[in-house]
Amino acid sequence: MKIAVCIKQVPTREWQPRLNDDKTWIREQDVSYEMNEPDAYALEEALRLREKHGGEVVVCSAGPARVQQVIREALARGADRALHVEDDGLGAADAFAIADALAGAMAGEKFDLVLTGLQSDDQGHAATGVVLAERLGMPHSTIIMEVQVSDGGLRIKRELEGGWFQWITMPLPALLTIQSGINQLRYATLKGIMAAKKKEITKVPVAAGVERVQQIAALAFPTKSKQTQMIAGSASEAAKELVRRLRDEARAL
Amino acid sequence: MILVIAEQREGKLNRASLETIAAAQQLAGSMPIKVAVLGATTGSVPADLASASVAEVLVGEHPALQPYTPDGFVMAVQALIEQQKPQIVALPHTYQTRDFAPQLAARMRRALITDVTGIKGSGATASFSRPMFQGKLTADVKPRGDAPHIVTFQIGAFRADAMQKGSSAAPVTKVDVAIDASKIRQKPEAPFQEAKAAVDLSQAERIVAVGRGIKSQDNLAIAEKLAKALGAEVAASRPICDNGWLPMERQIGSSGQTVAPKLYVALGISGAIQHLVGMKGSRTIVAINKDADAPIFEVADYGIVGDLFEIAPALTTELEKS
């Protein structure tokens, strides 16, 4: 089975945002990056499916040169090769531009199965995978917690809201967006890191006609909807004061 | 015209649809609003929706819409849009919407803006606020390209009780939604729940919830001691349950339980929106986190910035004194 996994490079969880001068995007020079967490689960699922059914796992990523960091990491964890749609303009692109850029590079590969994370931890549109499926002419399903492959088709477990699930069957080729927690992640071994250095990363220019569907007019720190009372002091002082306020003000004890 | 696509399952309205109508009313300016509901049968949902102050309720019934599939819904909503020619299509940002709205927008080559929490201005020139970077920042975005623009509204961001009701019931009109059932590629089975939950967190008066900040399964004992001292249940954000440190039934958030206890204590939870939607209705929220900029402090009544491994035990000691 020929499996593609789309991964995105996003700021680390510990990153403290700063804005650029015109307050329409982040100051990128301050950012340290990592693999988008839901995409890491999609990669792990692809590796497990390859171990079970054979074939190859191709990592696909759209972004500036810096995204090679997460492409190398995916190769070190066990992916076979990579497609990198490289363009500086993709760093702040929305889901539609990313999906169109990926589709241009992926269409000729005739993948049997395409996996993505369910959303990215940066812009968080939760749309890239589904738009990509439409562009590749594949059926899709989202927020997937289990993948079974049988003759020419898939049986998948989709998460619904409030603890409900549903099994769905669909033909291959198909695209699935993977929910975090579907599996236990593996980490790169030293051997994997060494092997990754010899693996092929094919650079693909971004195709003509890739456009954003939305414009960020302004980016800001969120305004507080609630007056939060912050309690200072040492651990024991803060604990004492919190208990007093919970008892006397909030009447929550 | 703004076309709201309401969500229903087996004749029961998803209340997030009313929030989306409230958002559409704020957005409308001088534009009329129509609400559409789709399904094999829609029961009393159209009558429920007709109480809203809207121009018309549209009912599109077709056997191929039960069970829900993204392919079926995209065909139906596209047919509706082509009939009605709205400028804006508004939907609640549910799992179902997330499953089909991007496909609809991609197929029609129209802009999609998801997870909207606020509206600036009104009508065709409005901009939409939405969280980015896990809620660390808020972006004001404008759709580009031709109408209609498709906008999804975050659950809980607009209030259902702020929805204006009409002085009389809105007219209900049946509409044709052409669906070629042979083009539906997904074949769903009946929804099910995993093992019946042994604990009903929605009934708990107090909850102590842990997040990534707890660092290891062994450290859960700290939260359990605090919970015992408070008479609270222990719950968690998604990553903790993903790791198997607590069972899934103790997960709070969009993919887990929604709770509104008297007291909610968040230990080492940063407050991703998927978690906040499950707990922000709690009466009193306490957040303890080492990161002063964590989004959890935006919904907290009381906040302590510091090391939970010092503060939580101190809190337990203090509670045990009294």
Side-chain angles (χ1 to χ4, degrees):
Chain A
M1 204 164 46
K2 192 168 167 181
I3 307 171
V5 185
C6 302
I7 59 171
K8 191 172 196 190
Q9 188 197 40
V10 299
T12 60
R13 285 181 181 278
E14 293 71 34
W15 164 71
Q16 305 284 347
R18 288 180 65 188
L19 301 177
N20 68 1
D21 290 338
D22 61 0
K23 297 193 168 44
T24 55
W25 192 238
I26 55 173
R27 255 175 65 108
E28 291 204 359
Q29 57 267 47
D30 299 333
V31 182
S32 58
Y33 291 98
E34 64 187 7
M35 192 185 300
N36 183 44
E37 188 175 77
D39 299 346
Y41 285 101
L43 171 64
E44 178 62 41
E45 199 59 24
L47 296 174
R48 289 176 188 221
L49 288 169
R50 183 191 62 191
E51 281 157 12
K52 212 164 171 181
H53 303 282
E56 75 170 334
V57 172
V58 182
V59 173
C60 304
S61 191
R66 61 171 160 79
V67 310
Q68 291 237 354
Q69 173 217 0
V70 293
I71 292 175
R72 286 284 170 209
E73 189 184 333
L75 294 172
R77 290 192 198 186
D80 298 289
R81 62 185 173 92
L83 293 178
H84 176 192
V85 188
E86 185 178 339
D87 191 281
D88 285 344
L90 292 171
D94 65 27
F96 282 71
I98 296 282
D100 283 345
L102 287 170
M106 292 168 69
E109 290 268 356
K110 305 270 176 263
F111 289 108
D112 298 306
L113 179 63
V114 180
L115 304 183
T116 72
L118 83 166
Q119 66 181 47
S120 65
D121 288 346
D122 55 359
Q123 295 201 27
H125 298 292
T128 305
V130 178
V131 175
L132 179 60
E134 180 68 14
R135 294 288 182 254
L136 294 174
M138 294 179 179
H140 75 271
S141 191
T142 53
I143 318 188
I144 300 307
M145 281 299 281
E146 193 174 335
V147 182
Q148 298 172 357
V149 180
S150 56
D151 276 348
L154 288 175
R155 187 165 182 265
I156 50 175
K157 187 166 117 186
R158 174 167 177 250
E159 186 179 293
L160 308 173
E161 279 140 331
W164 287 77
F165 298 89
Q166 177 176 48
W167 286 98
I168 298 172
T169 52
M170 69 169 92
L172 288 170
L175 182 146
L176 305 175
T177 80
I178 300 295
Q179 169 67 294
S180 296
I182 183 175
N183 48 40
Q184 291 289 321
L185 299 178
R186 77 189 69 189
Y187 292 93
T189 59
L190 188 58
K191 197 172 151 217
I193 294 166
M194 297 307 288
K197 291 183 177 159
K198 297 196 194 76
K199 289 177 179 171
E200 182 195 343
I201 301 177
T202 309
K203 288 192 188 178
V204 188
V206 66
V210 168
E211 278 187 29
R212 300 182 193 183
V213 303
Q214 54 185 264
Q215 179 211 340
I216 300 175
L219 200 58
F221 291 91
T223 46
K224 273 184 186 278
S225 54
K226 220 169 185 178
Q227 252 333 313
T228 306
Q229 298 187 36
M230 300 305 291
I231 299 172
S234 70
S236 59
E237 287 161 4
K240 195 168 183 180
E241 179 60 15
L242 177 62
V243 170
R244 187 190 70 75
R245 293 198 203 178
L246 287 178
R247 186 179 294 124
D248 300 345
E249 287 177 7
R251 300 186 188 283
L253 297 180
Chain B
M1 185 259 287
I2 301 179
L3 179 63
V4 175
I5 310 292
E7 186 169 314
Q8 62 100 23
R9 187 181 294 160
E10 291 169 2
K12 195 164 177 287
L13 179 68
N14 183 332
R15 293 208 20 109
S17 306
L18 304 180
E19 299 171 8
T20 302
I21 296 172
Q25 288 171 338
Q26 187 188 327
L27 173 62
S30 57
M31 279 193 278
I33 299 170
K34 295 186 184 183
V35 185
V37 58
L38 298 168
T41 54
T42 54
S44 62
V45 172
D48 293 347
L49 292 169
S51 70
S53 174
V54 295
E56 195 176 8
V57 175
L58 307 171
V59 183
E61 292 185 341
H62 192 291
L65 290 171
Q66 174 61 34
Y68 160 83
T69 58
D71 284 347
F73 264 64
V74 166
M75 283 186 262
V77 178
Q78 184 172 359
L80 254 180
I81 289 172
E82 283 164 3
Q83 280 165 28
Q84 300 290 329
K85 301 190 171 41
Q87 278 87 51
I88 296 168
V89 180
L91 306 102
H93 191 64
T94 59
Y95 278 26
Q96 182 167 304
T97 294
R98 290 163 62 162
D99 196 51
F100 79 85
Q103 184 186 2
L104 174 73
R107 188 166 292 179
M108 297 190 73
R109 298 198 174 265
R110 292 295 184 275
L112 169 69
I113 296 179
T114 59
D115 207 19
V116 168
T117 55
I119 299 163
K120 291 189 176 160
S122 65
T125 58
S127 66
F128 300 95
S129 305
R130 61 183 303 281
M132 279 200 189
F133 302 99
Q134 300 268 298
K136 285 177 183 168
L137 295 170
T138 303
D140 287 337
V141 299
K142 281 178 177 280
R144 300 177 61 193
D146 294 336
H149 302 135
I150 303 167
V151 183
T152 77
F153 292 93
Q154 185 179 101
I155 295 168
F158 293 81
R159 296 175 59 98
D161 57 18
M163 184 193 80
Q164 292 158 33
K165 296 203 165 194
S167 47
S168 59
V172 176
T173 311
K174 291 234 175 198
V175 292
D176 266 341
V177 281
I179 297 176
D180 178 352
S182 72
K183 288 191 176 153
I184 297 177
R185 297 163 293 184
Q186 302 88 357
K187 305 276 177 257
E189 298 168 26
F192 65 95
Q193 273 183 305
E194 285 291 59
K196 188 102 181 92
V199 53
D200 185 359
L201 291 177
S202 68
Q203 299 303 311
E205 281 215 335
R206 299 182 191 86
I207 290 175
V208 172
V210 296
R212 286 177 199 270
I214 199 78
K215 291 199 177 117
S216 80
Q217 188 166 17
D218 294 341
N219 292 335
L220 282 176
I222 294 165
E224 281 158 0
K225 280 183 192 150
L226 176 58
K228 190 156 177 272
L230 278 168
E233 290 283 354
V234 175
S237 63
R238 177 152 193 130
I240 302 305
C241 301
D242 282 350
N243 285 341
W245 296 352
L246 278 173
M248 280 292 180
E249 68 191 46
R250 292 196 181 259
Q251 184 204 326
I252 306 290
S254 52
S255 55
Q257 308 232 26
T258 300
V259 297
K262 255 167 73 176
L263 177 64
Y264 192 93
V265 180
L267 294 179
I269 291 178
S270 66
I273 184 61
Q274 296 88 333
H275 183 75
L276 299 186
V277 296
M279 49 65 76
K280 66 184 178 189
S282 305
R283 209 180 74 193
T284 300
I285 298 171
V286 174
I288 299 170
N289 202 295
K290 66 175 169 30
D291 176 7
D293 295 322
I296 190 75
F297 287 117
E298 271 141 54
V299 301
D301 298 280
Y302 300 100
I304 301 178
V305 177
D307 183 353
L308 77 89
F309 300 108
E310 292 176 14
I311 295 159
L315 204 47
T316 306
T317 309
E318 192 61 34
L319 287 160
E320 282 169 347
K321 272 190 214 162
S322 48

